[in-house]
Amino acid sequence: MSELNVLNYVDHTQLKAFAVWADIQKLCEEAIAYHTASVCIPPCYVKRVKETYGDQINICTVIGFPLGYSVTEAKAEEIRQAKKDGASEFDMVVNISDVKNGDFDKVEKEIAALKKEAGDFILKVIIETCYLDEVEKTALCKAVTNAKADFIKTSTGFGTAGAKLEDIRLFKREIGEAVKIKAAGGVRSIEDMEAFIKEGCSRIGTSSAVELLKGRSAKEY
């Protein structure tokens, strides 16, 4: 796979708390130039990006981010507003407190409610693997599948660790056929990205991909 083809899998990401408009513009212009899958940006920038770049960019934003413990109604309103502003993909964080309490029925109901709000748009479910044991990860694979979300995603990038290949392998064993996989958090090299894609990821969340390619020609390896 060429380095440039890898970028077709990338949600080009800028989610720093102190991101300014110049950072978001840079992100968007890189996404257009390198044909990334989307830009993943804070909700407060969605409308401005849509007004500035129109349909040149697929806009992804985050919901209940980064801790996940907002109530379902608040997360649903975030999706409704982001849809109005121009987003077409939503990366939600599960309520990790509910997960640790073992209340997987509640988690599943929340995911299903947010998928209903997202409608035909893409809902990705961040389970924040760094805080979970294997039993919890397996239960969340089932909840994501049953709730008919589009993706399961490893991490916010704000936790204690990010994506790991062993978690992708667990996802592949446990999710339903309709659910895709996104790896995020700590993906910092072309080799990392290629390894996650080979394991079955359809998306990679990273802020590093384009920077790694600047000044380099695409090569096969």
Side-chain angles (χ1 to χ4, degrees), residues 168 172 180-182 195-203:
I168 304 306
K172 283 200 302 185
K180 297 178 182 178
I181 301 171
K182 177 176 174 179
F196 281 110
I197 292 166
K198 284 182 177 178
E199 283 294 338
C201 293
S202 298
R203 292 286 183 92

Side-chain angles (χ1 to χ4, degrees), residues 187-209:
V187 183
R188 297 194 176 92
S189 72
I190 297 296
E191 290 79 9
D192 285 344
M193 287 181 259
E194 188 174 53
F196 281 110
I197 292 166
K198 284 182 177 178
E199 283 294 338
C201 293
S202 298
R203 292 286 183 92
I204 307 292
T206 179
S207 59
S208 305

